[in-house]
Amino acid sequence: MSKTVKNKMYSIKHYVKMLLLISFITLILDLIISFASIALVQQQSARYLQDAADLYINRINNNFSYLNHFMGWTLANDEDVEVMTSTVDSNDADFIKAQRNLYKRFSELQKSFGREYNFFIYLRNKNFLLNSAPMNLSFPEYQALKKQITDYAEEKIIYEKFYSQWTTIDLHNRYYIINIVPYYDSYMISLISADDLIRPLREINLGGNGFVSLMNEKGERVTRPVSNNGKLLLDDPDKSSLLDRLHIGTTVNRAFSNASFYVKLVIQFGAFEKIMIAQLLVVLLAVIIACNLCFIMLYFQKKVLKPIKNFSNNLAILTNDGEPIDFKSSKMVELEKANRQFIDLVTQIKQIKIDLYERELEKQKIQLDYMKLQIKPHFFLNCLTTIYSMAQMQMHAEIQNMTLSISKYFRYIFQNGQDFVRLEDEIEHVRTYLEIQKQRYRNAFDYRIEQAERTADVRIPPLVLQTFIENAMKYAVSREYEVQVVLTVTRQVVEDEEMTVIRISDTGPGFPPPVLDSLVNGQPLDQTEGTRIGIMNTIQRLEHLYHNKAQVRFSNREGGGACVVLYLPDHPEDRTGLEGGI
């Protein structure tokens, strides 16, 4: 019973329902995971930003406390301030010297806290506002500051509003943070631009539309809302559009100690919405694809599987008993029946192709053996005639050399039953053939063989070089002028593969134009008169043995003569040895 349930088959509609259910569940799980992940990352990012803001604000509070204490101590205890206060004339040498000393001291202090901090001393009895360090205020801002300080001193509200208290001040339509330390009729003033104060906080990544603002005690913004990418936002970014309200954001307010203002950080997690939207789009795309697959499967069942089922029943006639074959290794009945029947049919076709291929290989092997053993009778007869002529002239040494060369020549042909031989042996056979021809033609031709290193053990098909050498001897050598036959063997990289390049050239008349055109274009040569059979057979052998990877290029030399270049890849058994010797 359990075995039957395990091998139970289902229709395509069942798989369609399962696919839709899995897609719906995946979509719901993705939504839950996306919102949970975004909430977690948002919480961690907000905590990180809050900690970073707290660290910076604590540093500013320490700076404010130190500056307040330093300015108060300077007013109460510094001798230079006492000299400046007691001196009647500001052009007096003691006044100028004291002012310089005070300027140097606060310049050093400015180096420690930053050039954005400005320091001034105001002497009420002389109505002087002197900068105690290099200042970065414009002249209109300086005049506005002097007027404000004068008014505060006359109204006597400095102790109430500014004593040990950092607050905001508007100087010529630009907000500054100011602290005034009074001591009788002398006042030490520290001033910093509101934008400079919160500039480090603007370097924190608060999102695409996030910004940092400095707010005064009335809740008014005293700095421009600038995003992280340097873009100036709306005048009132808090009143954003409906689309902006959909963004997940967090507002962090942090107050300064001994100050009437605070920092407002608006964090916009625009990237989180993009991640969530991207995830939803991916899942929706998967759902759409699943729905399309369901539609395709239903359409496939109606338009394809039913005809296949009928075809499967027809194929069942090929079996011995004529009954449909029922295999249960798959969960889809229609496909399994058709699949198994087609597998059997394909197996039979493959077996037929293998048999045909083996027969063709046997046929080609017979042809190759025939071509390798093919001997031209006229060459043998010419050799015998040459020996006879030498015997008449009692050239005994030449007869011995000629006979030995002919013996080596035919021994190489008859004993060589391999498809590939060493290149060194093939070149030696060609040299033997040329020496035989040298005995016949004497000074009618000369030859030269050049062989590069690492080519001796290269394996090539036997009697390939002899075919082209015989062609050169037949059509190039004559007794009218001396012909030069050159055989060159090198190793070159052709089309990212290292090959053996064999070049056979002569100084004869070259290929006739019709023959050369046929060879270059890969067209068969005219063999009706029994000529040029060797060249065509050799090209076919190379195509078969090298699987169409070998190349044979024919051309005529500019100075006259024919040229044949063979590009032969390495035999698979020789590649390891060749690579090791490089």
Side-chain angles (χ1 to χ4, degrees):
M1 182 67 180
S2 60
K3 185 176 181 180
T4 305
V5 174
K6 182 179 179 180
N7 295 329
K8 185 178 179 180
M9 298 183 182
Y10 301 97
S11 63
I12 290 182
K13 292 183 179 180
H14 173 79
Y15 291 105
V16 169
K17 293 179 182 179
M18 292 296 296
L19 186 59
L20 292 177
L21 179 61
I22 293 174
S23 301
F24 178 75
I25 295 175
T26 303
L27 179 61
I28 299 300
L29 290 177
D30 180 75
L31 288 174
I32 296 174
I33 294 174
S34 298
F35 281 109
S37 301
I38 290 174
L40 180 61
V41 176
Q42 176 189 359
Q43 182 181 3
Q44 293 177 349
S45 300
R47 186 182 298 112
Y48 161 75
L49 296 175
Q50 291 173 2
D51 294 341
D54 290 339
L55 289 175
Y56 177 72
I57 291 174
N58 290 334
R59 184 168 70 85
I60 296 300
N61 288 332
N62 294 332
N63 293 344
F64 284 172
S65 177
Y66 180 84
L67 292 176
N68 189 48
H69 175 76
F70 183 83
M71 290 188 298
W73 185 91
T74 300
L75 285 176
N77 302 286
D78 191 82
E79 296 178 356
D80 294 322
V81 175
E82 184 179 355
V83 171
M84 294 174 64
T85 304
S86 60
T87 303
V88 177
D89 188 3
S90 61
N91 294 322
D92 187 76
D94 293 336
F95 183 91
I96 295 174
K97 181 179 179 181
Q99 181 184 359
R100 289 178 178 176
N101 293 335
L102 188 66
Y103 188 90
K104 291 180 181 179
R105 190 176 302 110
F106 275 89
S107 295
E108 294 297 326
L109 180 67
Q110 187 186 58
K111 293 179 180 178
S112 301
F113 288 88
R115 295 187 58 86
E116 61 270 14
Y117 283 90
N118 301 275
F119 298 98
F120 300 89
I121 182 171
Y122 177 69
L123 304 177
R124 181 182 177 188
N125 55 356
K126 297 180 178 58
N127 194 23
F128 281 168
L129 179 66
L130 303 175
N131 58 308
S132 300
M135 67 175 183
N136 50 24
L137 274 70
S138 64
F139 184 72
E141 292 174 344
Y142 172 80
Q143 288 182 321
L145 175 63
K146 182 177 180 180
K147 184 177 182 306
Q148 291 278 10
I149 298 299
T150 303
D151 294 342
Y152 291 154
E154 294 296 333
E155 296 176 3
K156 299 181 179 180
I157 61 173
I158 292 180
Y159 284 93
E160 300 177 2
K161 186 174 181 181
F162 298 100
Y163 184 70
S164 300
Q165 179 79 6
W166 291 79
T167 185
T168 59
I169 184 173
D170 184 5
L171 298 180
H172 200 68
N173 297 325
R174 185 180 181 185
Y175 279 95
Y176 285 83
I177 307 301
I178 189 171
N179 182 30
I180 304 175
V181 179
Y183 186 77
Y184 294 104
D185 288 335
S186 301
Y187 305 89
M188 287 298 302
I189 304 164
S190 178
L191 192 71
I192 182 174
S193 171
D195 288 323
D196 292 336
L197 184 66
I198 66 171
R199 181 175 289 112
L201 291 177
R202 286 177 174 172
E203 296 178 358
I204 301 175
N205 186 9
L206 304 176
N209 294 321
F211 63 93
V212 180
S213 291
L214 198 64
M215 313 296 291
N216 59 15
E217 63 275 9
K218 297 180 181 179
E220 298 173 347
R221 186 179 292 106
V222 298
T223 57
R224 298 172 297 172
V226 180
S227 64
N228 290 115
N229 54 16
K231 181 179 67 174
L232 182 63
L233 302 178
L234 300 175
D235 294 337
D236 192 0
D238 296 333
K239 298 179 181 179
S240 56
S241 62
L242 178 61
L243 183 60
D244 294 333
R245 292 179 184 273
L246 295 177
H247 289 171
I248 301 174
T250 302
T251 301
V252 178
N253 295 324
R254 287 292 183 269
F256 294 90
S257 59
N258 298 324
S260 62
F261 51 86
Y262 62 93
V263 171
K264 180 180 181 181
L265 292 86
V266 178
I267 308 168
Q268 292 287 351
F269 298 95
F272 298 144
E273 293 91 338
K274 294 179 180 179
I275 294 174
M276 184 180 67
I277 293 173
Q279 290 181 344
L280 291 178
L281 289 177
V282 170
V283 176
L284 287 176
L285 180 61
V287 172
I288 293 173
I289 293 175
C291 294
N292 290 333
L293 287 176
C294 293
F295 174 78
I296 292 173
M297 291 174 67
L298 293 175
Y299 182 83
F300 184 78
Q301 181 189 25
K302 181 179 179 181
K303 299 295 184 180
V304 179
L305 291 185
K306 286 185 178 180
I308 289 179
K309 183 177 180 181
N310 296 332
F311 181 63
S312 176
N313 294 331
N314 293 330
L315 287 177
I317 301 175
L318 298 176
T319 59
N320 295 330
D321 53 3
E323 295 294 332
I325 303 176
D326 188 12
F327 293 92
K328 297 184 179 180
S329 59
S330 174
K331 296 297 183 180
M332 194 172 294
V333 182
E334 301 90 342
L335 285 179
E336 183 60 27
K337 290 181 179 179
N339 181 49
R340 284 299 180 184
Q341 302 251 341
F342 274 112
I343 288 176
D344 294 338
L345 181 60
V346 170
T347 302
Q348 296 177 12
I349 295 175
K350 286 183 178 179
Q351 186 61 41
I352 294 174
K353 291 175 66 177
I354 291 174
D355 294 338
L356 293 176
Y357 183 72
E358 290 178 350
R359 293 178 184 176
E360 184 65 23
L361 286 179
E362 186 67 22
K363 179 180 177 181
Q364 291 180 356
K365 186 177 184 302
I366 295 174
Q367 293 177 349
L368 288 175
D369 292 339
Y370 171 76
M371 287 187 290
K372 289 192 295 184
L373 296 177
Q374 185 181 15
I375 304 173
K376 296 182 179 180
H378 69 271
F379 173 73
F380 180 68
L381 297 177
N382 291 336
C383 291
L384 294 179
T385 302
T386 303
I387 294 175
Y388 176 76
S389 300
M390 291 178 179
Q392 286 183 333
M393 293 182 289
Q394 297 183 357
M395 300 170 63
H396 303 291
E398 287 79 359
I399 292 174
Q400 292 179 1
N401 294 333
M402 185 70 169
T403 306
L404 181 61
S405 298
I406 294 174
S407 175
K408 291 171 58 179
Y409 176 83
F410 286 109
R411 182 181 296 109
Y412 182 82
I413 291 178
F414 288 119
Q415 292 183 355
N416 190 359
Q418 302 176 355
D419 291 334
F420 288 89
V421 296
R422 292 176 66 250
L423 179 58
E424 183 68 25
D425 297 336
E426 183 71 7
I427 292 179
E428 184 62 28
H429 176 68
V430 169
R431 185 179 285 108
T432 300
Y433 172 78
L434 291 173
E435 286 297 329
I436 294 173
Q437 297 290 19
K438 193 74 173 174
Q439 296 293 334
R440 293 180 56 205
Y441 292 101
R442 295 293 178 181
N443 298 326
F445 78 97
D446 193 12
Y447 71 91
R448 185 175 75 254
I449 298 177
E450 299 176 357
Q451 184 178 2
E453 298 180 358
R454 301 187 300 108
T455 60
D457 294 329
V458 174
R459 293 165 61 84
I460 68 171
L463 306 180
V464 170
L465 302 184
Q466 181 185 342
T467 300
F468 298 104
I469 293 294
E470 286 182 357
N471 188 73
M473 297 300 300
K474 181 177 180 180
Y475 294 102
V477 176
S478 65
R479 300 188 183 276
E480 298 179 359
Y481 53 88
E482 184 178 2
V483 174
Q484 182 76 18
V485 179
V486 180
L487 171 61
T488 306
V489 181
T490 60
R491 294 281 293 176
Q492 297 181 15
V493 177
V494 181
E495 297 179 356
D496 298 332
E497 182 179 1
E498 190 173 14
M499 294 186 175
T500 301
V501 181
I502 303 174
R503 187 175 186 271
I504 302 171
S505 61
D506 61 65
T507 58
F511 293 106
V515 174
L516 182 60
D517 292 341
S518 299
L519 292 173
V520 172
N521 298 324
Q523 299 176 355
L525 299 177
D526 184 12
Q527 303 176 10
T528 55
E529 298 180 359
T531 58
R532 304 185 181 92
I533 298 177
I535 293 179
M536 299 307 298
N537 286 345
T538 301
I539 294 176
Q540 293 176 3
R541 286 180 60 200
L542 293 177
E543 291 177 353
H544 172 71
L545 294 174
Y546 287 101
H547 305 289
N548 296 324
K549 293 184 178 180
Q551 301 180 23
V552 182
R553 299 179 182 176
F554 300 90
S555 63
N556 282 334
R557 301 170 66 249
E558 294 183 359
C563 179
V564 181
V565 183
L566 286 77
Y567 297 89
L568 304 181
D570 293 336
H571 190 265
E573 298 179 359
D574 299 332
R575 289 179 181 174
T576 304
L578 289 173
E579 292 174 357
I582 292 177

